[in-house]
Amino acid sequence: MNRTTLSLIAGTAALAAVTGFAALNQPAAAGPDTARAAAELPVERTSLVCPAPSSSDLAETAYTAFTPVTKGTQDNGSAELLPAGQESTDTGDESGKGDKDGTDEKDGKGDKGDKEKAAEKPLLTQKAPGTPAVGETDGGDAPALLGTAEGRFAPGWTVQATSEVAAGSGRGLLGVTCTPADTEFWFPGVSTAADRTDYVHLTNPDDSAAVADIELYGKDGALQTTVGEGITVPPNSSEPVLLSTLTDEKQDDVTVHVNIRSGRVGAAVQALDDKLGGDWLAASAEPAGSLVIPGIPKDATAVRLVAHTPGDTDADLKVQLASPTGLITPAGHETLHIKGGMTTAVDLGDVTRGEAGSLILTPVDRSVPVVAAVRVLRGKGDDQESAFIPAAAPVGTRASAVDNSAKGSTLSLTAPRGTAKVKVTASAGSGGGKAASQTYTIKKGTTQDVELPVPDGLKGTYALTVEPLTDTQVYASRTLKATREGVPGFTVQTLPDDRGTVAVPEADEDVAVLQK
């Protein structure tokens, strides 16, 4: 008998001994003591991407970052925004000092010393959770930004870029919430018409290249595109793609599908109109049979609903408005029919009629996945301004909106399926102040523009944190308004869950698995 055979016999005997021990000492069937319910723990790292804010030389952009105070976090950590292509040099001192000293440090222009100095400092860093941090850029060559928050700054980290453009195409107030990178996005509501200049910004936060496909869908289905496939986004960089260069077809209502075949990116559409201003269009919530578009401003003068069904099956949707008093069916627009693979648009006019409102889209009979968004106009004649609201995901556990001021901010809350209680907290101001909270009851099927709590002694801007206190789904959006030279500038951001916690299952050892 050779040595290999002896080793095999010894190994078999050892395994039999272990198996026999497990059989004789087998624990009880799996239950609460062996695999307990998952614990919700704070995330330890959050990464966000912010597209380049504007191509206008007249643009003035403010960046605001905020982390709500979260129990269970460690004492250390950092949060910063860096221009795409630069590596972090953060030392963890949490100084909270951003760059406001001039354009050389903001965009890396100037002599070699200025470039090295710019690379050493982020545009924005945070000092402590619970207080917003701000940074500023000017002009049309500000870069895309990559943000990272770790430790106590990671749970619920929220960043927004808000730009004021005084004149030109897309003039007005433009706002975009920085988002995590992902692999698929739907944008109903874009345009390839002559009076629109729409860009889809693709920002790659990783160290390897990403490859994206961009598909366009109009009223008759897929539009023929020329260079929409295999678009390479280099590592740690951003690529703005002008949608009108992808197709020769000129259509007012188009849906963009961005599919990432390798890597991941952050994506947002900047929609600029020659006469009606402009804004950012965030991605719609994932395709679903029922959708909620929250927080249409009560003084909207025109609302245009754009919807698309990604599959080949037609969809029929019931259209309702959740008003302050309940669900209302817009006269003449009771239902919306969407052909499979096509984009459909309908003008709802001044559907809110001076009251807060949210659109509720539900199946007439069978459920077919749909994406949707609205384009909203405020003002009249030459003094009109536009903004976009996509279908939103519910608030979930918690969500925040930043860059609020004592005047000009509106928070809309809607509970389509049941009465909900919601706690809203106004943080300390970026320059000082004391946080304040208020609890609201939102009745089933209604939308409320709530009276916001304002921090005592407010200086600077503040953040709003929304926390549902009941299991009923709540949807929310925040509107910023700033009128300049008679033009009612505004921008709307929806408030999905901030993903501040992650489920971590608790488990005990179970040697019974050795028998399987």
Side-chain angles (χ1 to χ4, degrees):
M1 186 179 294
N2 58 31
R3 184 173 301 173
T4 302
T5 303
L6 290 173
S7 298
L8 179 60
I9 294 173
T12 304
L15 180 59
V18 171
T19 305
F21 178 84
L24 292 173
N25 296 273
Q26 185 173 353
D33 294 333
T34 56
R36 288 185 288 272
E40 293 288 336
L41 299 179
V43 299
E44 297 180 354
R45 179 183 174 90
T46 298
S47 297
L48 301 174
V49 296
C50 309
S54 178
S55 59
S56 172
D57 293 336
L58 302 177
E60 299 177 358
T61 301
Y63 286 92
T64 309
F66 173 75
T67 299
V69 176
T70 304
K71 295 181 180 180
T73 60
Q74 300 178 353
D75 293 334
N76 60 353
S78 63
E80 62 182 15
L81 287 176
L82 286 169
Q86 291 190 15
E87 295 184 356
S88 171
T89 57
D90 178 69
T91 59
D93 61 1
E94 301 177 4
S95 64
K97 294 180 180 179
D99 285 334
K100 296 185 180 180
D101 299 330
T103 56
D104 286 349
E105 291 189 13
K106 294 168 187 171
D107 59 17
K109 290 188 175 182
D111 59 26
K112 183 177 180 180
D114 289 334
K115 291 181 180 179
E116 291 178 351
K117 190 175 182 180
E120 293 173 357
K121 292 185 178 181
L123 181 138
L124 177 155
T125 60
Q126 279 191 255
K127 186 176 181 180
T131 301
V134 296
E136 297 175 354
T137 62
D138 297 322
D141 54 1
L145 299 179
L146 307 180
T148 302
E150 297 180 327
R152 63 180 181 143
F153 293 92
W157 193 46
T158 303
V159 181
Q160 174 162 319
T162 307
S163 302
E164 286 195 59
V165 179
S169 180
R171 56 93 178 98
L173 192 67
L174 296 83
V176 60
T177 302
C178 304
T179 59
D182 209 337
T183 57
E184 186 178 34
F185 307 87
W186 290 95
F187 299 98
V190 305
S191 174
T192 58
D195 56 356
R196 282 273 289 274
T197 306
D198 289 11
Y199 292 87
V200 57
H201 287 248
L202 306 176
T203 306
N204 179 7
D206 296 328
D207 294 330
S208 58
V211 179
D213 295 332
I214 299 178
E215 302 164 338
L216 306 179
Y217 297 90
K219 59 184 180 180
D220 298 317
L223 303 184
Q224 185 174 358
T225 58
T226 53
V227 291
E229 295 184 358
I231 298 174
T232 299
V233 186
N236 301 300
S237 67
S238 186
E239 291 289 334
V241 180
L242 180 59
L243 295 179
S244 60
T245 64
L246 302 182
T247 181
D248 293 331
E249 297 190 47
K250 304 298 180 183
Q251 292 195 23
D252 290 324
D253 304 295
V254 176
T255 297
V256 169
H257 179 216
V258 178
N259 184 56
I260 310 303
R261 63 167 79 168
S262 67
R264 59 187 190 133
V265 303
V269 170
Q270 191 175 49
L272 309 176
D273 193 284
D274 290 344
K275 297 181 180 180
L276 300 175
D279 204 354
W280 289 93
L281 170 59
S284 171
E286 293 183 1
S290 298
L291 298 174
V292 178
I293 302 176
I296 300 172
K298 62 183 181 181
D299 58 352
T301 54
V303 176
R304 186 169 180 82
L305 171 63
V306 183
H308 171 81
T309 176
D312 297 329
T313 304
D314 291 4
D316 288 289
L317 297 176
K318 181 188 299 183
V319 180
Q320 293 178 297
L321 182 77
S323 73
T325 56
L327 293 175
I328 300 172
T329 300
H333 302 291
E334 294 82 2
T335 61
L336 178 67
H337 180 73
I338 312 166
K339 293 183 179 180
M342 302 182 187
T343 297
T344 299
V346 59
D347 284 318
L348 301 178
D350 58 343
V351 64
T352 56
R353 297 187 180 278
E355 294 185 324
S358 302
L359 282 182
I360 312 298
L361 307 178
T362 54
V364 171
D365 43 30
R366 59 178 174 174
S367 178
V368 178
V370 175
V371 293
V374 296
R375 183 188 189 185
V376 180
L377 297 183
R378 294 178 63 239
K380 297 181 180 180
D382 295 334
D383 294 332
Q384 287 184 304
E385 160 74 319
S386 59
F388 297 87
I389 311 174
V395 171
T397 302
R398 181 184 64 185
S400 296
V402 299
D403 200 19
N404 301 285
S405 58
K407 296 181 179 180
S409 298
T410 302
L411 178 66
S412 294
L413 303 174
T414 186
R417 300 176 183 90
T419 298
K421 288 188 177 182
V422 182
K423 178 182 177 182
V424 178
T425 302
S427 75
S430 56
K434 185 178 180 180
S437 297
Q438 182 68 43
T439 299
Y440 306 91
T441 297
I442 311 299
K443 294 182 179 180
K444 178 182 177 180
T446 69
T447 297
Q448 303 290 337
D449 285 353
V450 299
E451 184 176 350
L452 294 176
V454 177
D456 295 332
L458 173 65
K459 294 182 180 179
T461 64
Y462 67 96
L464 287 169
T465 299
V466 178
E467 299 174 272
L469 302 178
T470 52
D471 293 335
T472 304
Q473 285 189 338
V474 175
Y475 296 78
S477 71
R478 189 279 318 270
T479 301
L480 295 178
K481 300 179 182 179
T483 300
R484 175 179 288 190
E485 296 181 359
V487 178
F490 74 115
T491 180
V492 183
Q493 285 74 48
T494 60
L495 278 66
D497 188 273
D498 65 14
R499 299 193 239 187
T501 59
V502 61
V504 179
E506 297 182 15
D508 288 335
E509 294 182 2
D510 185 355
V511 296
V513 298
L514 293 173
Q515 293 180 296
K516 299 178 180 179

